[in-house]
Every structure is written in C-alpha cells, then in structure tokens.
Amino acid sequence: MKKNTSFRLLVAALGVATMMVSCKKQETTIPPAQVHFTGAASQSYAVRAAGVAPYKIQVGTTDVVNTDRTVGIKVTSRTAVAGTQYTLSANTVTIPAGQALGEFSIQGIFAGYPAGRLDTLVITLTEPSIAPAKFMDTIRLAIGDICVEGVGFTLSSVIGNYARTIETLGTNSPYGPYNTSISSATSTGATTARIVVNNIWDSGWGPISFDLNWGVTPLTATVVSQTAIPGSNAGDLNSAYAGQTVAVRPMAGSPGTFSTCNNTFTLRMQLGVTNLGYFASLYTVNMAR
C-alpha cells in the first residue's frame, strides 16, 4: 500500500508541474520602430528639359504612432554639386501622426546637365527621431542626361532614312540591310501619331502606315490595315498569286514596337493576298539609322 501511495503522490506532483509549465505566461518581443526607403535600391532621374519635374522619393516606417516623427536626409556625390546639378527639397522628411509614409524630392537643374553628363547621388537616412532600417537605408539615384522611353520625345525626330533595315518573313533567312524611310509623322493625340514608311519589302511597294503610341510600355507601332498595297506583287510571296496585290494587317498577339532612345523600329505584320486571305507567317521589319 505504501508503494501505491507514493506512486499516486508522484503522479499528482508531475501533474501540478505540468500545469505550472503550461500556464506560464509567454513574453512578446516588440521590434523597434524603423524607417526605410520604398522602391528600388537603384533609381534613375532624367534631366533633359528646363521644366523637368522634381523626382519624388518616399520613405516608410515599420509602425504607426500618434505623433509626428522626423527623419534626416543626407545626399552625397563624387561629382554632382548641390545648387549646380540638383537641389534637395529639405534636409528632413516628416512622417505624420497616424501614417507610415513620408516624401521628399530632388530637383534636377537642367543647366547643370549638358548632353552626356550623368551623376550618381547617394541618399541615406539619418536619425533625429526614428532609427533607419539596415535593409533599405540607402538608395543610389542616377541623374542627368538619361534617356527614358517616350520622355521628351519629339515626333519630328523619327522622320528620315533608315539605312540599316533588315526584314524576316517567318523562318526565312533575314534580308538586308537595305534602305527604308519615314516620310511623314502626324500627331493623333497627346502620345499617339501616325507615320508613313516607304520601301518596305525593297521591291517597289507603296507606302505603309503605322500608328505609334508612346504612352504605353513598351511603346507600340501598329500597322494600319491595308487591303491592297500599290506596286506590290503577291507572287513575291507565292508564285501562285503572281500579278495580285498584297494586303497587310496587324498580326494578333505580335504588336510592333519602337524605341525613342535608340531611334529604332520593330514593325510586325501579317501579309496576305488582296480579297483572298492571309499567310500564317509573321513578317518583321527592323529599322535602324
């Protein structure tokens, strides 16, 4: 009986110990508040016009509190000089009470950026009232004569000869280089226009028009459907259709593109025979100066 009593007492003691462990209050560690940049660690700012808009940079906090907090901004560069190449909106940025985001800006000075000049600004956070996070406390901003597709684009810049034109029809070997040209460019909207391209196919075809849009990414150049291209001969595509004219239309899912930075065009289209139908192969014309 004594043995049994001792066993029961041991079991009871273990149960009490287990309850004590299971009821122990867990401690919660609250991470310290930190501030960091949002967006990419490397960014770029094109300064290519006198009226260039300031470049806005955003910072964020890891928490929200009911008081304003101030974050210091420090800008350094090995080549750019404040007041000559850029100005900083303020040396600090405020995170308003009840919010997690704040913003400041860099204003590029056009007079400080002649053609070809490029600088890098190293922008870091300092700590008047909240500690910078180590994972995103610095960004590098390339600033200057940087080409951004569509920004500062002038329609007249596309007119002229493209002596390095190369074309491909389906899986055939590329043909070229040969000369094409853009004879006119007419605005159709704030970021749209229609161009007329001459000598596509390099065999006496009449002009073909394309609609440009530099308000989208990538920039698009869409062929304007044409049921009969003057001077064309569908026999060039298939001898069975000799003497008939060529039709052209956009190829579904394969829009053409262009680059305002490189002044190049990749024109894509589907060729066919007037009033008969279209071939399945994609026709691509790459135009370069």
Side-chain angles (χ1 to χ4, degrees):
M1 294 294 291
K2 185 176 180 180
K3 184 177 180 180
N4 291 338
T5 300
S6 300
F7 178 75
R8 285 196 294 270
L9 289 173
L10 178 60
V11 171
L14 288 173
V16 172
T18 301
M19 290 175 62
M20 291 176 65
V21 172
S22 62
C23 293
K24 185 177 180 180
K25 194 172 184 179
Q26 298 294 318
E27 295 182 359
T28 301
T29 302
I30 299 175
Q34 294 182 317
V35 64
H36 56 86
F37 288 109
T38 65
S42 296
Q43 302 179 30
S44 61
Y45 175 28
V47 182
R48 309 187 86 198
V52 63
Y55 187 83
K56 296 180 180 179
I57 300 172
Q58 202 172 62
V59 297
T61 56
T62 56
D63 67 348
V64 175
V65 298
N66 59 4
T67 58
D68 290 353
R69 288 174 290 180
T70 302
V71 180
I73 305 298
K74 180 181 179 182
V75 180
T76 60
S77 175
R78 293 193 300 176
T79 53
V81 177
T84 301
Q85 274 74 43
Y86 72 94
T87 57
L88 179 64
S89 61
N91 292 322
T92 60
V93 58
T94 298
I95 310 294
Q99 298 184 32
L101 295 174
E103 188 177 83
F104 65 99
S105 62
I106 300 286
Q107 176 64 65
I109 301 173
F110 178 59
Y113 282 103
R117 179 174 179 126
L118 179 66
D119 297 308
T120 298
L121 306 182
V122 180
I123 307 170
T124 56
L125 301 174
T126 60
E127 184 185 355
S129 60
I130 183 171
K134 296 301 182 184
F135 63 87
M136 194 60 177
D137 64 345
T138 301
I139 62 172
R140 285 170 171 77
L141 179 67
I143 177 174
D145 187 20
I146 303 169
C147 187
V148 178
E149 293 291 355
V151 176
F153 171 57
T154 56
L155 193 54
S156 60
S157 66
V158 304
I159 295 176
N161 293 326
Y162 291 77
R164 295 187 294 126
T165 299
I166 297 175
E167 65 180 38
T168 304
L169 178 60
T171 59
N172 294 342
S173 298
Y175 169 78
Y178 68 95
N179 189 73
T180 56
S181 65
I182 296 177
S183 57
S184 67
T186 305
S187 175
T188 56
T191 60
T192 59
R194 177 166 291 186
I195 62 171
V196 176
V197 183
N198 303 287
N199 200 41
I200 286 179
W201 194 261
D202 196 29
S203 185
W205 288 14
I208 301 175
S209 297
F210 296 82
D211 286 331
L212 305 185
N213 186 344
W214 56 96
V216 295
T217 303
L219 284 58
T220 58
T222 305
V223 65
V224 177
S225 296
Q226 197 169 339
T227 57
I229 300 172
S232 65
N233 184 352
D236 294 342
L237 306 175
N238 187 311
S239 58
Y241 305 107
Q244 301 184 67
T245 51
V246 174
V248 64
R249 70 181 183 185
M251 173 71 90
S254 298
T257 60
F258 71 107
S259 169
T260 60
C261 290
N262 301 321
N263 208 356
T264 57
F265 290 81
T266 299
L267 307 177
R268 299 184 179 96
M269 60 205 94
Q270 189 175 19
L271 303 179
V273 181
T274 300
N275 297 325
L276 290 181
Y278 287 84
F279 299 100
S281 298
L282 176 65
Y283 177 48
T284 303
V285 180
N286 292 300
M287 297 169 55
R289 294 287 193 181

